[in-house]
Amino acid sequence: MTPQKLVQRTFAALFAVLLLLLGSSTAALAHDAVTGTTPANGSTVDAVPAKIEITMSNTPAVIGSQIMVVDSSGTDWSLGGVDVLDTVATQNVRPGAPAGKFTVKWRLVSSDSHPIEGEFTFTATSASTATAGAAVGAGPVVSVQAQPETTPETAPDESAVPWSVIGLGVVLVGLVIALLVVARRRLGKDS
């Protein structure tokens, strides 16, 4: 085999590997998305709810997740940390929240470990009815009413090229350079 054919075959193999790796990484670039919120974005509710729920397309991580329930004066009414059960992230709301417009600012860590964030609003016509020190029951949650379908909330796509793809590109460029140096040396010896 001539050195020129060796270089051509090497480039063809590298190109095939690059196409295989880049083609399979497109699925990994997709982040999880919000499929619904409770209360719904832009809705008006009778009273400030005791908890806010954000439903995702996959189970988000608890670590690094944050949900803030902010009233029109800028006060954050969230109580405790974010709880995650299946695909639902839940944030409790402190008792005594006033009536008015609220902005829910959220940052969740998607199942592929990338943080995604967004916000939605709702308006409460009356203050929170929960009182401090109220007993909280534990056990399964059972719904006796059919849940209406909610319109999916889309998170802004802030995806960039993942570091793994950049690292792979650097490694492949280094490999090509090394192969060119070796091929050039062999061509020099054969002359």
Side-chain angles (χ1 to χ4, degrees):
M1 178 184 312
T2 67
Q4 292 156 336
K5 289 209 184 250
L6 177 65
V7 170
Q8 289 173 348
R9 286 186 181 178
T10 303
F11 277 122
L14 283 174
F15 185 69
V17 168
L18 182 63
L19 284 178
L20 178 69
L21 292 174
L22 289 178
S24 64
S25 68
T26 56
L29 294 177
H31 295 299
D32 297 343
V34 173
T35 60
T37 62
T38 304
N41 184 24
S43 67
T44 299
V45 294
D46 293 334
V48 178
K51 63 183 178 179
I52 302 296
E53 294 180 340
I54 300 173
T55 305
M56 302 289 290
S57 56
N58 285 305
T59 303
V62 176
I63 296 175
S65 293
Q66 180 181 19
I67 300 174
M68 295 174 31
V69 184
V70 182
D71 67 12
S72 57
S73 69
T75 303
D76 182 9
W77 288 91
S78 17
L79 175 66
V82 176
D83 294 320
V84 174
L85 179 62
D86 293 328
T87 60
V88 180
T90 304
Q91 175 65 58
N92 291 323
V93 178
R94 286 188 291 138
K101 185 173 182 176
F102 287 82
T103 301
V104 178
K105 299 177 181 183
W106 57 269
R107 180 181 191 271
L108 298 173
V109 179
S110 64
S111 62
D112 66 355
S113 75
H114 286 92
I116 55 175
E117 56 189 45
E119 63 181 51
F120 65 93
T121 61
F122 69 91
T123 303
T125 57
S126 64
S128 172
T129 56
T131 58
V136 176
V141 176
V142 179
S143 176
V144 292
Q145 296 178 341
Q147 296 295 322
E149 280 199 39
T150 57
T151 326
E153 296 288 326
T154 56
D157 185 16
E158 297 175 10
S159 63
V161 177
W163 286 106
S164 59
V165 173
I166 293 170
L168 177 66
V170 170
V171 168
L172 286 175
V173 168
L175 186 59
V176 167
I177 291 171
L179 288 172
L180 287 173
V181 169
V182 169
R184 180 169 261 161
R185 285 184 184 166
R186 284 192 177 175
L187 285 173
K189 287 181 184 178
D190 290 343
S191 301

